Amino acid sequence: MDTGYRLNLDLEINSEDMQSLQEAFCKSNDMYVMCIGKTNGQITSFSGTKSEEDFVDREFPSELRREIMDSFVDGTAENIVERFGKEDYLMYRGVAIRGAKGEFLGVWLCFGINKELIPDSIQLPQALKMTTLEAFDKSILLIETLTKYYFAEKIKIQDLKNQLIHQQDAEHDIKYKLKKNEIMTDILRFMESENSFSKISEDILRDSGNYLKCTNAALLQISENNTSVDMILEWCSEEEASLKEKFQQVPRIELPFMNGKPYTISSDATLPEAFEIFFIKYGIKAAIFLPININDATAMYLCFFVIGNDRKWSVEDLRFANDIKRILHTVLVKKITTNSLASSYNALEVILKNAGYGIIVADINTKEVLYKNDTYNQMFDNEVDRTAIMDIVFDEKYDKPELNGYSATGSGRWYDISVNNISWVDGRNVRMVTFYDTTDLRLYQKKIEQQAKQDTLTGLFNRQACEKDIALELHVAKKAGAEFAVLMIDLDDFASVNEGMGYKVGDELLEYVAHSINDISQINGKCYRVGGDEFVVLVSHEVVDHLDYIIKRIKNLFDNPWILEGVEYYCTMSMGCVKIKDNIDSAIDVFTSLNIAVHSAKNKGKNRLEYYDDKSKEIIQEKAKLERALREATNEGDGEFEVYYQPIMEFVNGIPLCHGAEALVRWNSKEYGLVTPDKFISEAEKLRVMDKIGNHVIEEAVKTCKHWNDFGFPEYGININLSAYQLSQKDILETIDAVIKKTDINPGNITFEVTEALTSDDIEWMVKSLSAIRSRGCKIALDDFGKDNSSLMNIRTMPIDVIKIDKSLAADMDTDKYSAAFIKAISELAKAVDIEVCATGIEVDKQVEEISRFSVNLAQGYYFDRPLSKADFEDKYL
């Protein structure tokens, strides 16, 4: 097997972890498992010997593997599918691997050999792993549970890594500020140096050039006659990269930036022609040009160059460069004026006034505060903090360069503190204390720690915390000899909320549900979000006596509508309950039992509570057995699916005569006998085999009708039901076209029935699909009209030829005035727009009498006949 591919995920999935999981599954459960990615192929290598691998490759062909993978789609709750091969003793399953939002990422392909069904005539290699159906199905549920847990952990880890990146960015910002403060502290010391302007400026250019990581930092001076420029000072990272000799007596006209304006030019900038020529001439890739003015005229330019490598300047880079320009300006002015104290202090105020950190300068000998910037005043705006800070500022024991983790009790904020001794503008030695607000960083770190065990959307504890609490409760309850319970709540059809109303509304619903359940007093914060729309409630041994009350409270929550963006929305849920005393040993077993109970509730129609017991497990197994039989029936052809025909009567001069029939499918199972549609249609749609069954019904029904037409009954028509699933198939029109062409039937004798409930999903799509069918010459019937919230607009907008009135109205039309009035109104409206009306569910004489009073020309029901096999129908009506 090829191991050259890896799962294509946004998560860092360790293939060695997947291999370890696979080895454990295979070894402990006597089965064969392989992990396949949705797009990038196989993840794990085969667990077993070469002979075992050859056997599995032969009996589990690539076509069957691909069919299993194709069965999964994004966003559905289906995580396990089953397929069948040519031998009854070979078992095939697929377990979906899904991401945070239900997207399909990959699959565990599972293969097992049922030793109980191996015929005596078959001799298999002794080295093969063998199991039983019961053990195999139990293992599949375990794989599903562990996979959900594993990928939930991986998603959580990836979230934490993303958060760590943000944290590192924040830490980098703090380090940047500390570094900048250190550089600026050193540079500020130069301001009062007795050295010459050239020596001070060289030191400043060196430190600032290193900080900005540029190759050259220089001062350019304009000549007295304003015509040429000289580079009077330069620092360069490498001596051979010096530009000083080249920048002597350069005509000012050759320097496009020499116009008194500042320029910040990154490597990716589009340069005007003059700048482009200048940059090419000196090999410059990026530069900052800042004018230094004396007496309102530009006397110098401070320049930072990057030669050889690309560079994109940041806003912080520009701020720092401007600070350096102001310092150099101050030093220059100091040397040419006598008011050095005032000019230096003014420079300080410009540089430090709006710095992003708080600064206070004090003389600890005289206990005098010399300077505070605006940020400091904002940080410590209450008396409690100001008093405490003064103790730090004037206490000589605080002499470390950095004091981290200071908590200001007045504001509740946290600070890192930097302490430096500097020479003040008037020459005396003073202390400068700098405060960096780290509150957001600390809160962020605390948030990360909390999120490790918390669901970010709802604020509830997550599955990891749930499993730990269940494990603890198992230990405590076992010691006390007490019982406790665990509930799982799974929202019904939650995907339709996201699809129909958007993920924002779906998230809002999850938050409402989470908070409403968690607020029930006896739950005491023991509600957890363990999946997309799954919640678990731990009812501890201390409150287990209130279990019935807790369940009632949760049910009541879902009896009322949730208000989502101002609209009432009813949402139901399926709940599973496991009572635990000493019958379960681990949290994983608890979750497995909960899943079985919830699946049982779903299979029984949803919106209900199911307790886990041995019977629950039997129901799941029986469902799996039905699905297996249904899949076998479709894989072996359509022989088990028979078409029955219920006559549709037309009233001619008050006499009901056979007008044709409605085709109704029956599953004549070799295992279950004759199965009616309500028992298997929904399962067939879930297994994605309904298209095969539906196509078989269409072909058989049309062939039968054509036979009737050819043998003396050209007026007979056939009605065929179409579900939303069948209509959504891409090839439905091709199927209808092929059947019409193959049988050469008059298309007008075919009527396709759709239920009115389908129109609520997507009326535009429905009209488009039915119009396409009707364009072939076929008729369209609107079935079950009047059953629920019927709309007369459907009669107007849909391309229909027949209205079939629901049997619930026909049953009461002789006693219920509303039913009679409804049928009368619809029949008269239909007559006016040339649409036929068929009354269904006719069972007694009175109903027939009532029909004759209205414009209803078609009828169907047990009064006339039940659904008949083809042979029985032809014996009676041909």
Side-chain angles (χ1 to χ4, degrees):
M1 293 184 176
D2 182 8
T3 60
Y5 296 102
R6 291 296 179 263
L7 196 56
N8 182 21
L9 303 176
D10 290 331
L11 311 173
E12 294 181 11
I13 301 300
N14 189 326
S15 60
E16 293 181 1
D17 290 348
M18 306 297 282
Q19 188 72 41
S20 298
L21 281 172
Q22 177 177 304
E23 299 285 351
F25 290 151
C26 297
K27 183 176 180 181
S28 61
N29 297 285
D30 292 326
M31 60 191 297
Y32 297 96
V33 181
M34 59 203 80
C35 184
I36 309 294
K38 178 181 178 181
T39 57
N40 287 348
Q42 191 164 320
I43 309 306
T44 56
S45 58
F46 184 78
S47 300
T49 64
K50 183 64 170 62
S51 61
E52 289 177 290
E53 184 176 6
D54 292 341
F55 180 84
V56 174
D57 282 344
R58 184 172 62 253
E59 298 298 336
F60 197 168
S62 58
E63 310 87 67
L64 186 53
R65 299 180 189 184
R66 173 51 59 184
E67 182 183 344
I68 290 176
M69 287 198 68
D70 291 344
S71 298
F72 294 107
V73 295
D74 292 343
T76 65
E78 184 179 41
N79 285 329
I80 300 175
V81 300
E82 180 179 10
R83 290 293 184 270
F84 299 92
K86 57 186 179 181
E87 303 294 346
D88 291 340
Y89 60 85
L90 299 179
M91 300 176 290
Y92 307 88
R93 303 283 193 282
V95 179
I97 301 171
R98 296 190 184 278
K101 295 183 179 179
E103 67 274 23
F104 175 61
L105 305 176
V107 65
W108 289 108
L109 294 175
C110 306
F111 176 74
I113 303 171
N114 188 348
K115 58 187 176 184
E116 296 177 341
L117 295 180
I118 300 175
D120 295 337
S121 59
I122 300 294
Q123 292 296 323
L124 298 179
Q126 293 184 350
L128 293 177
K129 297 180 178 68
M130 298 188 186
T131 182
T132 64
L133 175 61
E134 182 180 0
F136 186 68
D137 284 339
K138 186 175 182 180
S139 301
I140 296 300
L141 291 175
L142 177 61
I143 291 174
E144 179 192 20
T145 301
L146 290 179
T147 300
K148 281 184 179 180
Y149 174 74
Y150 175 83
F151 278 91
E153 286 297 303
K154 284 298 178 182
I155 292 167
K156 181 187 71 180
I157 290 170
Q158 186 63 37
D159 287 341
L160 290 176
K161 286 183 178 179
N162 293 337
Q163 293 165 1
L164 180 59
I165 291 172
H166 291 303
Q167 179 185 351
Q168 290 171 341
D169 289 343
E171 290 174 351
H172 174 76
D173 187 51
I174 295 242
K175 289 178 182 177
Y176 169 81
K177 290 179 179 178
L178 288 171
K179 179 67 175 175
K180 181 178 179 182
N181 180 64
E182 181 182 342
I183 294 291
M184 292 301 293
T185 300
D186 290 340
I187 290 175
L188 287 171
R189 289 195 184 102
F190 299 142
M191 292 179 62
E192 293 306 313
S193 170
E194 296 301 323
N195 292 330
S196 66
F197 173 75
S198 295
K199 181 63 175 81
I200 295 172
S201 299
E202 284 178 356
D203 292 337
I204 292 175
L205 291 177
R206 179 195 65 232
D207 286 358
S208 58
N210 276 318
Y211 177 79
L212 288 174
K213 293 184 174 59
C214 58
T215 58
N216 304 69
L219 277 176
L220 305 183
Q221 185 174 18
I222 303 172
S223 64
E224 291 184 7
N225 59 14
N226 212 25
T227 59
S228 63
V229 176
D230 294 303
M231 184 178 287
I232 60 172
L233 295 169
E234 181 193 34
W235 167 88
C236 53
S237 59
E238 297 179 3
E239 188 174 346
E240 59 271 18
S242 174
L243 297 173
K244 190 171 182 180
E245 291 185 6
K246 299 178 182 180
F247 269 86
Q248 301 299 320
Q249 294 296 307
V250 178
R252 183 172 180 176
I253 195 170
E254 293 183 6
L255 304 178
F257 57 87
M258 278 285 183
N259 55 14
K261 296 179 181 179
Y263 291 90
T264 304
I265 303 174
S266 296
S267 301
D268 57 358
T270 302
L271 299 177
E273 183 179 357
F275 277 89
E276 186 173 8
I277 293 171
F278 171 74
F279 271 50
I280 292 174
K281 180 177 180 179
Y282 295 101
I284 299 170
K285 294 288 188 178
I288 297 176
F289 305 106
L290 300 174
I292 298 176
N293 297 331
I294 300 294
N295 296 327
D296 297 327
T298 302
M300 294 182 183
Y301 256 86
L302 170 63
C303 306
F304 296 99
F305 299 113
V306 177
I307 297 173
N309 298 315
D310 289 341
R311 174 66 177 273
K312 186 173 183 178
W313 304 106
S314 69
V315 174
E316 290 298 330
D317 292 336
L318 184 57
R319 287 176 181 167
F320 179 83
N322 274 289
D323 285 345
I324 299 303
K325 185 196 80 167
R326 294 188 187 102
I327 291 173
L328 286 171
H329 177 267
T330 301
V331 174
L332 179 60
V333 172
K334 175 186 175 182
K335 295 303 178 182
I336 61 177
T337 66
T338 57
N339 193 12
S340 63
L341 179 62
S343 60
S344 297
Y345 190 83
N346 289 338
L348 270 174
E349 282 211 307
V350 171
I351 295 169
L352 302 177
K353 181 179 180 181
N354 295 309
Y357 37 85
I359 294 176
I360 182 171
V361 180
D363 186 332
I364 61 175
N365 294 318
T366 64
K367 304 298 182 183
E368 177 186 2
V369 174
L370 303 177
Y371 175 80
K372 295 182 290 185
N373 71 349
D374 289 350
T375 305
Y376 172 89
N377 293 327
Q378 293 167 8
M379 285 179 169
F380 307 108
D381 60 353
N382 62 82
E383 189 64 33
V384 174
D385 287 343
R386 281 197 299 270
T387 302
I389 289 302
M390 287 301 105
D391 291 339
I392 294 176
V393 171
F394 291 116
D395 194 333
E396 294 185 13
K397 73 179 180 182
Y398 296 112
D399 58 356
K400 294 181 180 179
E402 294 181 10
L403 300 172
N404 296 331
Y406 175 76
S407 175
T409 56
S411 63
R413 301 191 71 80
W414 292 82
Y415 299 95
D416 285 353
I417 303 173
S418 175
V419 180
N420 291 281
N421 295 317
I422 65 170
S423 179
W424 190 233
V425 292
D426 58 2
R428 56 176 153 170
N429 293 323
V430 297
R431 170 178 284 185
M432 183 171 73
V433 185
T434 309
F435 299 86
Y436 304 94
D437 190 334
T438 60
T439 306
D440 291 341
L441 179 60
R442 287 180 175 271
L443 292 175
Y444 195 74
Q445 290 172 331
K446 187 175 180 181
K447 181 181 178 182
I448 290 175
E449 294 171 0
Q450 183 70 10
Q451 285 180 345
K453 58 179 181 179
Q454 193 174 48
D455 174 53
T456 54
L457 175 64
T458 62
L460 299 180
F461 288 118
N462 58 20
R463 182 178 181 128
Q464 180 184 11
C466 179
E467 290 185 351
K468 287 182 179 179
D469 288 352
I470 290 176
L472 178 62
E473 187 67 23
L474 280 168
H475 175 74
V476 173
K478 188 171 289 187
K479 265 195 164 186
E483 182 183 57
F484 70 98
V486 185
L487 305 170
M488 178 178 281
I489 298 103
D490 190 321
L491 305 189
D492 294 331
D493 303 318
F494 179 70
S496 64
V497 179
N498 284 334
E499 293 170 3
M501 305 178 72
Y503 285 98
K504 180 182 177 182
V505 177
D507 287 347
E508 185 179 343
L509 174 60
L510 291 175
E511 290 184 78
Y512 285 168
V513 171
H515 296 155
S516 299
I517 296 175
N518 200 45
D519 286 344
I520 297 174
S521 58
Q522 285 78 6
I523 290 178
N524 294 321
K526 294 293 185 180
C527 179
Y528 312 81
R529 186 186 179 203
V530 298
D533 59 348
E534 292 178 335
F535 300 89
V536 164
V537 173
L538 173 58
V539 184
S540 69
H541 67 282
E542 297 172 336
V543 296
V544 73
D545 291 342
H546 300 283
L547 176 61
D548 292 340
Y549 173 76
I550 292 171
I551 291 173
K552 183 178 179 181
R553 285 288 306 276
I554 294 173
K555 285 183 174 181
N556 287 344
L557 291 175
F558 291 88
D559 288 339
N560 298 306
W562 306 89
I563 307 300
L564 303 177
E565 294 193 343
V567 178
E568 290 188 353
Y569 179 80
Y570 283 89
C571 174
T572 62
M573 59 83 195
S574 299
M575 190 186 327
C577 178
V578 179
K579 294 182 178 180
I580 304 156
K581 189 168 186 180
D582 53 9
N583 55 329
I584 293 180
D585 296 322
S586 71
I588 293 296
D589 290 340
V590 172
F591 269 91
T592 300
S593 302
L594 282 171
N595 282 326
I596 290 175
V598 170
H599 285 162
S600 178
K602 295 280 189 184
N603 293 334
K604 290 183 178 179
K606 306 177 184 179
N607 192 26
R608 60 188 298 120
L609 165 69
E610 285 293 316
Y611 290 90
Y612 172 80
D613 53 24
D614 292 338
K615 186 178 180 181
S616 302
K617 191 173 181 180
E618 291 173 5
I619 291 172
I620 296 295
Q621 291 174 339
E622 181 59 33
K623 179 177 180 292
K625 181 181 175 183
L626 176 68
E627 290 178 351
R628 185 167 58 251
L630 186 57
R631 196 175 291 281
E632 284 178 355
T634 53
N635 287 342
E636 293 174 0
D638 305 307
E640 292 189 12
F641 297 97
E642 300 177 0
V643 181
Y644 275 54
Y645 300 90
Q646 184 174 30
I648 299 175
M649 313 305 286
E650 180 179 17
F651 288 91
V652 179
N653 298 323
I655 300 174
L657 302 176
C658 183
H659 175 71
E662 179 179 354
L664 301 166
V665 65
R666 299 290 186 268
W667 176 22
N668 195 359
S669 170
K670 58 186 178 184
E671 189 169 356
Y672 291 98
L674 197 64
V675 184
T676 54
D678 59 301
K679 298 293 194 303
F680 72 87
I681 291 295
S682 61
E683 294 301 324
E685 290 182 346
K686 289 178 185 177
L687 294 174
R688 293 182 173 81
V689 297
M690 192 59 218
D691 53 337
K692 294 182 181 179
I693 300 173
N695 290 347
H696 168 70
V697 172
I698 292 173
E699 185 169 351
E700 286 299 310
V702 172
K703 283 168 56 179
T704 299
C705 184
K706 174 61 174 172
H707 173 74
W708 298 340
N709 298 157
D710 291 344
F711 285 84
F713 297 90
E715 74 283 3
Y716 273 15
I718 190 72
N719 285 33
I720 304 171
N721 292 284
L722 285 181
S723 66
Y725 177 84
Q726 288 175 273
L727 273 176
S728 66
Q729 299 303 302
K730 294 180 180 179
D731 61 349
I732 184 63
L733 294 176
E734 287 81 354
T735 300
I736 293 172
D737 288 338
V739 171
I740 292 174
K741 183 177 180 180
K742 181 179 179 180
T743 59
D744 197 27
I745 192 173
N746 174 11
N749 285 351
I750 306 173
T751 300
F752 288 103
E753 297 187 10
V754 295
T755 62
E756 190 181 16
L758 297 184
T759 63
S760 62
D761 294 334
D762 189 340
I763 186 66
E764 291 184 10
W765 167 77
M766 178 68 72
V767 169
K768 182 178 179 181
S769 300
L770 296 181
S771 295
I773 294 175
R774 203 165 181 237
S775 68
R776 270 77 177 161
C778 303
K779 296 178 182 177
I780 302 296
L782 185 59
D783 199 8
D784 297 341
F785 191 79
K787 182 177 182 179
D788 295 309
N789 298 320
S790 294
S791 172
L792 294 178
M793 286 300 296
N794 289 332
I795 300 177
R796 179 180 178 183
T797 58
M798 290 183 64
I800 57 175
D801 303 280
V802 182
I803 297 173
K804 297 189 73 173
I805 295 175
D806 187 68
K807 62 183 180 181
S808 60
L809 290 171
D812 299 331
M813 61 183 171
D814 59 328
T815 57
D816 181 41
K817 291 183 178 179
Y818 170 81
S819 296
F822 183 89
I823 295 174
K824 180 181 180 181
I826 294 303
S827 62
E828 290 177 354
L829 173 62
K831 183 178 181 180
V833 294
D834 198 24
I835 293 177
E836 293 186 300
V837 177
C838 177
T840 65
I842 304 302
E843 297 182 358
V844 296
D845 290 337
K846 286 185 178 180
Q847 291 173 303
V848 177
E849 293 174 6
E850 288 294 322
I851 290 174
S852 62
R853 297 171 45 219
F854 309 129
S855 300
V856 176
N857 59 322
L858 300 174
Q860 180 180 354
Y862 284 3
Y863 176 83
F864 306 106
D865 227 327
R866 295 174 176 272
L868 304 171
S869 67
K870 178 184 176 183
D872 289 344
F873 183 94
E874 291 178 350
D875 285 344
K876 195 167 185 179
Y877 294 100
L878 262 65

